[in-house]
Amino acid sequence: MESETVASLSSQSSAISELSDEDVSALENGSGNYGCSHYRRRCKIRAPCCNEIFDCRHCHNEAKNSMETDPLDQHDLPRHEVEQVICSLCGTEQDVQQYCTSCGVCMGKYFCSTCKFFDDDTSKNQFHCNECGICRIGGKENFFHCNKCECCYSKSMEDGHQCVERAMHHNCPVCFEFLFDSMKAITVLRCGHTIHDECMEEMMQHFRYSCPICSKSIGDMSGAWEKLDKVIASTPMPEIYLNKMVWILCNDCGANSNVRFHVMAHKCLSCKSYNTRQIQGEPTAPCASRVAETMSCHTG
């Protein structure tokens, strides 16, 4: 499939190079002037699911999954099943192809016959990943496909990322948007789980520094733990609790520890993390919320 695509693009480039300036101008007619908020393109698509015309699949999905749509009628457009496109310049409906059969205009400078995808903005460095089965942006040379995670990651992560089976084939744990084909930037946490960049930033604004899925710390928290050491040292417990011991579970390393009770937080004896939860012993203390409150008071 990939060799066929490369050969097709090569033959198209060769054909274009042989065109006159007038012919090339005709092919470029309307470039950048058509499309929607998602893509610049010179065609619309006929949705195979409902037989309606939309600028792109995202426009379809937004319209068909809106609050105004009957829940029984809500659905997504199956991108690979699109068969008909409509030229934005001449209005001719035709089979999916890069150049209009009627006016000859290029309907998308980037075109993928597998995804039935058009885009005039090639600055995104679009590429098709055969393993993912969809087109991605950022340049193929900058990404690798992890067969266990079943998605593309930056090559900077190739030798050091934590594999999680089908890591992006689920909804964002904060906003619940499906991550695999999301147009928003995605962060891979140290634990291997994935989340939207903007959702992680919002979590951190609310002093939440652990993965919403597995509760492991999302980054290097050593500086925060040092601050907590000082806070706890300067906050002695009442005499009634001085010798009170509780069992804790560390969310970061998974170790159990028997530690002295403190109302602020409990430190793992194994990895020295304060990202812990009390599992036995009275009185109970909501450690995670206490840590968040302490961090909010000692930030900056």
Side-chain angles (χ1 to χ4, degrees), residues 9 12 96-100 105-111 118:
L9 291 174
Q12 289 172 358
V96 175
Q97 54 201 304
Q98 188 170 16
Y99 300 96
C100 177
V105 74
C106 175
M107 293 185 283
K109 292 179 182 178
Y110 175 83
F111 169 68
F118 302 78

Side-chain angles (χ1 to χ4, degrees), residues 216-253:
K216 292 183 183 295
S217 296
I218 62 176
D220 181 5
M221 299 294 291
S222 57
W225 302 156
E226 289 175 6
K227 289 182 180 180
L228 273 171
D229 281 338
K230 295 176 182 178
V231 172
I232 290 173
S234 63
T235 313
M237 291 297 294
E239 186 175 352
I240 189 175
Y241 294 129
L242 284 180
N243 297 315
K244 183 65 182 179
M245 303 295 289
V246 293
W247 281 95
I248 61 170
L249 169 66
C250 179
N251 293 323
D252 285 336
C253 72

